[in-house]
């Protein structure tokens, strides 16, 4: 076995890589051993007897898997959350999601003449004050006040 440390060192310098990345063709080792100058090593590099191995990268597989899971709504537990409760869903956004269906429902009842203007205004103000949690809650209040509601059938 011939000592190719000098050739490996020169090849690493010429290929601009580390010595561990230098690859020498096992079939042309005698030819490589005869290379004494940098010029000789350069000829071997151009001839393909000496090349540099590809760098080892860091795999993105785990990252891609985690991103795919997050897209599906996984990995959102308490340990993954930063900031307070209302940083993720602001209070205003939550209020908007609550009040819009309630107000739309009240307008619908007013347009169908189920609620008169005074009752509508009364319930509207109660809704604004946060009395009702959701649409179903306002329906129970209306029924307890003796207002007859038409049953909605889902097709």
């Amino acid at each position: 076995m011939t000592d190719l440390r000098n050739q490996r060192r020169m090849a690493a310098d010429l290929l601009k890589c580390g010595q561990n990345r230098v690859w020498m063709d096992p079939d042309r080792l005698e030819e490589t051993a005869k290379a004494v100058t940098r010029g000789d090593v350069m000829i071997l590099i151009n001839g393909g007897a000496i090349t540099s191995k590809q760098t080892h990268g860091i795999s993105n597989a785990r990252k891609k898997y985690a991103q795919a899971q997050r897209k599906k709504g996984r990995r959102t537990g308490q340990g993954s959350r930063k900031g307070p409760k209302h940083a993720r869903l602001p209070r205003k956004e939550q209020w908007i999601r609550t009040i819009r269906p309630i107000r739309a429902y009240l307008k619908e009842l007013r347009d169908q003449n189920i609620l008169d203007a005074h009752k509508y205004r009364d319930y509207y103000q109660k809704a604004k004050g946060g009395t009702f949690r959701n649409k179903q809650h306002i329906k129970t209040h209306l029924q307890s006040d003796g207002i007859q509601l038409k049953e909605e059938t889902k097709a």
Side-chain angles (χ1 to χ4, degrees), residues 8-155:
R8 185 174 291 279
R9 182 187 53 74
M10 284 191 285
D13 199 33
L14 291 167
L15 291 167
K16 293 181 175 63
C17 68
Q19 290 182 30
N20 289 335
R21 273 183 60 208
V22 174
W23 177 84
M24 296 179 180
D25 191 347
D27 300 331
R28 296 168 70 180
L29 287 180
E30 295 83 27
E31 195 183 332
T32 307
K34 290 178 187 165
V36 184
T37 65
R38 289 168 72 89
D40 295 341
V41 174
M42 199 68 210
I43 290 165
L44 290 170
I45 288 169
N46 292 335
I50 300 173
T51 57
S52 64
K53 292 181 196 169
Q54 200 171 9
T55 54
H56 290 288
I58 297 167
S59 171
N60 280 331
R62 285 180 299 280
K63 182 182 84 172
K64 284 178 183 173
Y65 175 77
Q67 283 174 341
Q69 290 294 88
R70 281 193 197 98
K71 198 173 177 185
K72 284 194 249 175
R74 315 285 195 274
R75 294 168 169 256
T76 58
Q78 287 289 1
S80 303
R81 297 177 196 176
K82 289 186 183 282
K85 175 183 175 183
H86 298 291
R88 293 168 76 84
L89 182 64
R91 288 178 176 91
K92 182 168 183 177
E93 189 67 37
Q94 208 167 350
W95 171 250
I96 289 168
R97 288 185 190 181
T98 306
I99 199 68
R100 280 184 181 167
I102 291 171
R103 285 181 175 165
Y105 182 62
L106 285 172
K107 283 175 189 137
E108 192 183 308
L109 293 177
R110 183 189 61 189
D111 294 342
Q112 293 172 359
N113 295 324
I114 295 170
L115 287 179
D116 63 341
H118 295 290
K119 277 278 184 203
Y120 168 79
R121 184 52 41 194
D122 184 38
Y123 276 100
Y124 191 96
Q125 292 297 346
K126 281 181 182 173
K128 185 179 179 182
T131 305
F132 311 116
R133 291 187 300 272
N134 50 37
K135 203 168 129 178
Q136 189 58 46
H137 192 207
I138 198 169
K139 282 182 188 177
T140 56
H141 267 265
L142 289 164
Q143 284 170 346
S144 66
D145 278 1
I147 295 167
Q148 292 295 319
L149 302 173
K150 294 174 190 153
E151 281 297 316
E152 297 172 8
T153 53
K154 291 186 179 180

